Amino acid sequence: KKSTEGAISGPRNCSDPNYTAPPSDNTTPSTCDSPGAICLRGGLNENEGNIMVEGQPICDDDWNLINAHVACKQLGFIGAKSFTKESKFGMTGDNFKMDNVRCDGTEERLVDCNYQPHHDCSDGEAAGVVCDNRTKDEEEVEELSCFQPGISYSPGDWIDYDIVLSAFDCQVHCAAHPECQHFSFYKDTQKCYRKTSNNSFPSAAAISGPRKCANAIALVNGTTAAPTTTERNCDIPGVVCLRNGNTPNEGNVFVGGKPVCDDGWDTRDARVVCHELGYPDVLQTYVESHFGAVNDVFAMDNVECRGDEIKLGICSHSTTDDCGATEGAGVACDNGTAIEIPAECNVAGKLCLIGGSNEFKGNVYFGGKPICDDGWSFANAHVVCTSLGFAEAVKAEKESVYGMVPSRYGATDVSCQGGENSFSMCNMRTDDINCNRMEGAGVECRPERRTPRKSTTSGSSAGSIVTGLLVVVTMVAIGGSVWHFREKIQHVLSREIMVRVSGTGPLLS
């Protein structure tokens, strides 16, 4: 910007940059009447109703999907499914707050849109909305299965364009126009083009899609319902597949036909892949193109998942990379192998060895859950063995030597000094555990039973008291003898000192 005499400038709209959308159940009267606040009234569900601004209705003149989209986002929803007119959700009265509302879609609040404060509307002309009550993750799942990054539609067949915040908002703009068939959103300029053409071509900065995603991947119990291997078209943008594995549940990870780079690849990332493909969990995480060299045009790099995402594309990642053909990320997914935990081990604080050929070896379980081998040491193993009554440890084992363990761990990064009386006294971390089913800690103990330590309770306490009394008695006796013979002792000492001064005889011979 620069100073120019006579000019007045400002932002595209005057939305408050510090504004944060409230929760979607924000419908209390005191909040609805506050400046700029909106609420929904008359709907059967919390995501629908006539719109009230500061407690007053909005007239439906010029009311459209883009206006509804702004209203729903202000209410904390991801956007609008549809808009309504003619007081669909009941009569509102004729004290209208706004008329001829015209939003461009970038506003944070409905009152920041252009509108007329005066109206010519009656009781049956209130504007309303049906908001999209999906979560942000569910919306992104649909985008990944429907939108096309790097694709634009024919530039000669566009209706118009506007500035929007995201590809999802651009799709709303497309749906708001009866002739729009596809949209193209440009990330660098945030321009949204509404287009009538079905002809597409490559364009690096563009994300395109249809006016409505009709074939979105369904959600079942919070996770994607994965099609079988034969149904997955691995070249569709956003679709995850495994390639070059010996079995269907393993391989290098590909997204939209391109490999994923192994920079930062860990169990959390692999777990999301396996869940997306319909497997219960991850068995093993691989790097360095374990299942064979990949091409060097990567879909993702520096992937960083929390582990609970429903699709890999939702995870934080970079779309640029510095990776080569030997840096493909890979996984082996769990095909559902169950591990039986004995009832006596599935108790809080109970330490057990499971999976070994005898009682003195096995994977370590604490409270019915396995211990991860991160930081596992011989000192840890020794405390496990002595806690179980064995003499000592022979070796500390890693990588689920005694068989696969469940995926939900009880602890990791265990740190014992070696002299603890109980395993529970060791330092350990019980949250944010990043381990797969092949990372269980194990031990082999010396079969001989540990010699019980003498009790440190009543017996030893009584012995200590007796010993203390004997010491006191002895000291009293010695003190009494010294007092009784004090005169003789003083005489001897005086004599010896005199002899020593005279230079003859030994000093106390």
Side-chain angles (χ1 to χ4, degrees):
K1 61 184 179 180
K2 63 179 181 178
S3 298
T4 303
E5 186 177 353
I8 299 175
S9 299
R12 177 179 178 84
N13 63 68
C14 294
S15 291
D16 182 357
N18 298 316
Y19 176 79
T20 301
S24 58
D25 60 352
N26 185 11
T27 58
T28 59
S30 60
T31 303
C32 292
D33 293 338
S34 61
I38 68 172
C39 291
L40 304 182
R41 296 278 174 82
L44 296 177
N45 303 300
E46 66 176 6
N47 66 315
E48 64 182 16
N50 293 320
I51 298 179
M52 309 295 286
V53 177
E54 300 175 8
Q56 298 173 241
I58 297 176
C59 181
D60 62 12
D61 292 345
D62 296 327
W63 189 246
N64 61 27
L65 185 63
I66 296 173
N67 300 337
H69 190 61
V70 172
C72 289
K73 290 177 73 175
Q74 181 178 347
L75 287 167
F77 297 98
I78 63 170
K81 282 185 177 179
S82 60
F83 66 96
T84 65
K85 293 187 173 186
E86 299 179 354
S87 303
K88 179 177 179 178
F89 297 100
M91 295 302 176
T92 61
D94 58 2
N95 184 26
F96 289 91
K97 176 72 175 180
M98 306 167 70
D99 191 12
N100 301 114
V101 178
R102 293 187 179 183
C103 304
D104 61 36
T106 63
E107 296 86 356
E108 297 283 357
R109 302 178 304 171
L110 198 62
V111 294
D112 295 322
C113 301
N114 289 323
Y115 69 92
Q116 293 295 329
H118 307 291
H119 68 88
D120 56 356
C121 307
S122 62
D123 191 21
E125 295 182 77
V129 295
V130 178
C131 296
D132 191 340
N133 56 4
R134 291 176 301 164
T135 66
K136 185 66 176 175
D137 280 357
E138 289 171 341
E139 174 218 321
E140 290 180 355
V141 166
E142 182 168 308
E143 287 186 15
L144 289 167
S145 63
C146 174
F147 292 8
Q148 298 172 284
I151 295 295
S152 180
Y153 280 81
S154 177
D157 298 316
W158 57 278
I159 302 167
D160 57 13
Y161 78 86
D162 208 335
I163 304 297
V164 299
L165 298 177
S166 68
F168 179 67
D169 291 334
C170 189
Q171 186 184 42
V172 172
H173 277 250
C174 179
H177 196 288
E179 296 181 13
C180 181
Q181 298 301 313
H182 290 88
F183 69 88
S184 292
F185 172 69
Y186 289 83
K187 297 176 288 184
D188 52 351
T189 63
Q190 291 191 300
K191 287 184 177 180
C192 169
Y193 287 86
R194 299 192 281 195
K195 303 190 176 185
T196 59
S197 172
N198 291 323
N199 299 320
S200 62
F201 66 96
S203 179
I207 299 175
S208 298
R211 64 182 288 124
K212 184 177 181 180
C213 295
N215 298 314
I217 296 176
L219 294 176
V220 180
N221 296 327
T223 185
T224 51
T228 63
T229 304
T230 56
E231 292 175 336
R232 298 184 74 83
N233 185 341
C234 298
D235 293 325
I236 293 177
V239 175
V240 171
C241 291
L242 304 182
R243 291 183 175 174
N244 300 329
N246 293 322
T247 57
N249 65 313
E250 65 177 18
N252 291 321
V253 181
F254 283 73
V255 178
K258 300 176 183 179
V260 175
C261 182
D262 63 9
D263 291 345
W265 189 250
D266 64 15
T267 300
R268 294 184 187 89
D269 309 325
R271 178 169 287 129
V272 172
V273 169
C274 292
H275 285 171
E276 183 174 349
L277 293 173
Y279 296 102
D281 209 346
V282 58
L283 285 181
Q284 187 66 281
T285 304
Y286 296 102
V287 295
E288 298 180 354
S289 300
H290 179 82
F291 297 97
V294 299
N295 63 63
D296 59 2
V297 180
F298 288 84
M300 306 169 72
D301 190 12
N302 298 311
V303 178
E304 189 173 346
C305 300
R306 298 184 309 270
D308 59 355
E309 293 88 350
I310 55 178
K311 203 164 179 69
L312 186 65
I314 298 174
C315 299
S316 173
H317 66 276
S318 173
T319 54
T320 58
D321 68 88
D322 55 356
C323 308
T326 59
E327 295 181 80
V331 300
C333 296
D334 179 14
N335 56 10
T337 304
I339 306 299
E340 183 176 352
I341 309 298
E344 61 269 21
C345 293
N346 201 13
V347 177
K350 179 70 173 179
L351 188 65
C352 289
L353 302 183
I354 298 176
S357 57
N358 50 56
E359 65 174 357
F360 53 86
K361 63 173 66 173
N363 292 319
V364 181
Y365 285 72
F366 189 54
K369 296 180 180 179
I371 301 296
C372 179
D373 63 11
D374 289 353
W376 193 245
S377 67
F378 186 82
N380 299 340
H382 181 72
V383 174
V384 168
C385 291
T386 56
S387 297
L388 291 171
F390 296 105
E392 60 183 354
V394 175
K395 65 173 71 172
E397 302 281 16
K398 292 187 174 185
E399 298 181 355
S400 301
V401 166
Y402 299 103
M404 188 190 308
V405 300
S407 60
R408 302 305 174 191
Y409 283 84
T412 186
D413 295 320
V414 177
S415 178
C416 304
Q417 299 301 312
E420 291 86 351
N421 291 327
S422 170
F423 181 69
S424 62
M425 297 174 65
C426 300
N427 292 322
M428 62 186 76
R429 184 162 55 84
T430 58
D431 59 352
D432 194 28
I433 300 175
N434 184 26
C435 304
N436 61 52
R437 298 188 67 180
M438 297 305 294
E439 294 183 79
V443 299
E444 180 181 345
C445 303
R446 191 171 300 282
E448 291 81 8
R449 285 292 172 175
R450 183 183 184 192
T451 303
R453 294 181 178 178
K454 292 183 179 180
S455 174
T456 59
T457 55
S458 60
S460 62
S461 297
S464 298
I465 292 171
V466 171
T467 301
L469 288 174
L470 288 174
V471 171
V472 171
V473 170
T474 302
M475 295 301 294
V476 169
I478 293 172
S481 297
V482 171
W483 177 260
H484 180 72
F485 295 105
R486 67 188 184 281
E487 293 182 357
K488 290 183 179 181
I489 292 172
Q490 288 175 352
H491 175 73
V492 171
L493 288 174
S494 299
R495 177 182 175 278
E496 291 300 329
I497 291 171
M498 291 174 64
V499 170
R500 186 65 176 172
V501 170
S502 66
T504 60
L507 180 66
L508 295 177
S509 58

